[in-house]
Amino acid sequence: MSDRNPTADPQPLLRPVRLGALELPNRVVMAPMTRARAANPELVPTDLHATYYTQRAGAGLIVTEGTWVSPEAIGYIHVPGIYTEAQTAGWTKVTEAVHAAGGRIVSQIGHLGAASHPDHQGGRLPAGPSAVNPQEMSFTPEGPKETVTPRALTAAEIATTIENYRQAARNARRAGFDGLEIHAQGSHLVAQFLNPRLNRRTDAYGGSTERRARFLLDLVDAVTDEWDSDRVGVKLSPYWNRGVAYTADAEALADYDQLLKRLGDSDLAYLQLVGPEPGTGTEDTLTAFARFRAHYRGSLVANLGFTRESGNDLLARGLADAVAFGAPFIANPDLVDRFAHGHPLAEGDPATYYAGGAEGYIDYPDHRTASARRPRPRSAARGPRPVRPPRAAAPGPGARPPVPGPSVGLRTGRRPPDRAPRRPRRAPGVRSRDGRRRDSAPCRCGPSR
């Protein structure tokens, strides 16, 4: 358990906290965000990943993008895995770099299940808890495609999947991570098992609230064979609303209430919980996190697109022990320092969020560097500025509209709360800041997500 009595000075976000065995110098957690930079056939993290995470080592805790536990888990393009030796070696370079910079980093592991697509599975049907189409969009090498009706996992395949998680947890420990987080939010496999609309099984993994939760609880047992439980976290999204399959109705929330109580017996490091998005007709932020606190007796990491002000307020009320920030970390690698000194937040370029390469990934400067690059006021000795010709009143035919920047405050849209703001769904390939087209895959995970 952590200290739940942060004072007003310094900011609650800047106070140290203990989450299980994880000692954090501040309560600012970097949320997992898919950034689609493993653009190699082996899905190995590269030097770009090491640089990206090291730049953000000032976070109290970094949670990596969601990483695949097996080839069958794959559901997006260019997302790294942690199931091969090469992938494990790549992540070792990342953890060594983050630790050398004084940071702490845990690995998030996951499986997309029925929300994957045959294009990711060599033409084979993806598998889920039951043969029910989740009616999602899958981002494939050829662009966005609608999901298909999956095949139902057999009992033997469930056992194999649990073993895949165990091996991924073992690989994460070998790679030098400080802990592990199970991706159980949104529309991923664990959430599919928890959902009675997608899980219509009649065996030990379906048919009742308790049996639908068994898959997640078995995963917790498996990964805690490799890690002490106080270094393991779980990420859940009880208020997830999407399409016809996911509705945060009273029945679903009651199921999650019971799940939180059961997870409270597992002595985890923390639960990372995604709150309700504004305008979805569910409970407000404070009511939701008060509900979480009432049902879970361990440490809570809150995730909802918080600002510095709303994050500090939530901590001051004792409704969470740390706060996860996603989109603000993209363009602000020194986010904690900016919070500490009240510096304004920079805005990112959405066209590069999933575009691959260094641009929009590791080229955002910290506040001091950005300030040094700002042009100085023109002195009188240098004379007046030259007169420039007037700008055109309107762009000519065929001109591209400007790409909007992301919101860095409390979100009011329908984007998943822990991932980068989403561009409109369209065929892969958007223009980045240099005007070139780049392949791109919008994130729906938990940015993974």
Side-chain angles (χ1 to χ4, degrees):
M1 290 292 291
S2 65
D3 174 13
R4 293 186 181 171
N5 298 296
T7 62
D9 186 20
Q11 301 174 47
L13 282 169
L14 303 182
R15 287 174 52 84
V17 65
R18 181 185 177 96
L19 305 180
L22 301 172
E23 299 278 358
L24 280 55
N26 60 70
R27 298 171 188 242
V28 179
V29 174
M30 179 176 166
M33 292 180 287
T34 292
R35 300 300 309 279
R37 257 58 182 193
N40 57 77
E42 295 81 17
L43 301 181
V44 173
T46 68
D47 290 343
L48 282 179
H49 292 81
T51 301
Y52 171 74
Y53 286 114
T54 301
Q55 289 173 339
R56 291 151 180 82
L61 181 67
I62 294 171
V63 184
T64 71
E65 60 213 281
T67 55
W68 309 124
V69 299
S70 68
E72 293 75 23
I74 296 171
Y76 304 124
I77 62 172
H78 303 159
V79 174
I82 194 165
Y83 54 87
T84 70
E85 287 298 316
Q87 292 163 352
T88 304
W91 283 117
T92 300
K93 294 180 181 179
V94 173
T95 63
E96 289 175 347
V98 170
H99 290 154
R104 295 137 301 279
I105 184 169
V106 301
S107 172
Q108 190 194 67
I109 59 174
H111 191 306
L112 206 59
S116 185
H117 190 276
D119 287 4
H120 294 296
Q121 304 296 327
R124 301 182 302 276
L125 286 176
S130 300
V132 180
N133 188 339
Q135 300 183 43
E136 297 278 337
M137 292 296 294
S138 177
F139 293 90
T140 75
E142 297 180 358
K145 295 185 179 182
E146 294 182 355
T147 54
V148 300
T149 300
R151 59 183 182 82
L153 287 162
T154 66
E157 287 173 324
I158 290 176
T160 298
T161 301
I162 293 171
E163 185 57 35
N164 290 338
Y165 274 82
R166 188 196 313 273
Q167 182 61 53
R170 185 179 304 135
N171 291 344
R173 184 165 51 80
R174 291 170 52 219
F177 283 100
D178 298 297
L180 191 79
E181 182 177 284
I182 297 174
H183 191 318
Q185 76 156 107
S187 55
H188 280 229
L189 181 61
V190 175
Q192 293 163 23
F193 267 92
L194 294 172
N195 189 327
R197 297 175 182 85
L198 299 178
N199 181 351
R200 301 179 184 176
R201 304 180 72 94
T202 57
D203 61 4
Y205 290 95
S208 69
T209 299
E210 292 74 19
R211 292 201 294 269
R212 286 193 296 270
R214 178 178 172 178
F215 181 67
L216 172 57
L217 297 175
D218 283 357
L219 293 182
V220 170
D221 288 344
V223 302
T224 54
D225 285 344
E226 303 296 329
W227 289 86
D228 290 339
S229 64
D230 57 4
R231 289 187 176 272
V232 173
V234 175
K235 187 178 183 186
L236 295 163
S237 52
Y239 288 91
W240 190 261
N241 271 295
R242 183 192 288 275
V244 298
Y246 295 93
T247 57
D249 55 24
E251 182 180 357
L253 292 174
D255 286 351
Y256 273 100
D257 290 343
Q258 296 305 310
L259 177 61
L260 297 190
K261 291 178 181 178
R262 296 179 72 181
L263 288 171
D265 296 329
S266 298
D267 295 323
L268 300 172
Y270 64 86
L271 290 187
Q272 182 176 176
L273 296 175
V274 181
E277 294 191 51
T280 57
T282 53
E283 295 170 325
D284 64 85
T285 301
L286 298 181
T287 301
F289 282 96
R291 179 173 186 156
F292 294 156
R293 183 65 96 189
H295 292 290
Y296 184 68
R297 62 183 180 84
S299 296
L300 295 180
V301 177
N303 185 311
L304 188 59
F306 288 94
T307 63
R308 181 182 70 163
E309 291 73 20
S310 60
N312 277 321
D313 180 63
L314 192 78
L315 294 176
R317 293 172 182 269
L319 298 181
D321 302 289
V323 178
F325 295 85
F329 263 113
I330 292 177
N332 301 277
D334 59 335
L335 184 65
V336 174
D337 187 62
R338 292 183 188 238
F339 281 172
H341 299 287
H343 297 316
L345 300 189
E347 291 189 354
D349 178 6
T352 63
Y353 285 165
Y354 314 100
E359 183 186 13
Y361 190 57
I362 62 170
D363 57 352
Y364 289 108
D366 59 27
H367 176 75
R368 287 173 293 179
T369 304
S371 298
R373 291 179 181 175
R374 291 172 186 156
R376 291 173 294 179
R378 194 174 184 87
S379 66
R382 294 173 64 189
R385 291 184 180 275
V387 177
R388 296 182 182 274
R391 295 181 181 271
R400 286 191 302 115
V403 178
S407 167
V408 293
L410 186 63
R411 298 173 308 104
T412 58
R414 295 180 59 82
R415 295 192 300 266
D418 62 333
R419 63 190 77 155
R422 181 186 297 167
R423 295 178 293 103
R425 284 179 177 169
R426 56 184 173 183
V430 294
R431 294 191 184 276
S432 57
R433 289 181 293 191
D434 60 7
R436 295 173 292 174
R437 290 191 69 82
R438 297 181 182 273
D439 288 338
S440 176
C443 173
R444 299 177 300 120
C445 64
S448 340
R449 228 247 249 325

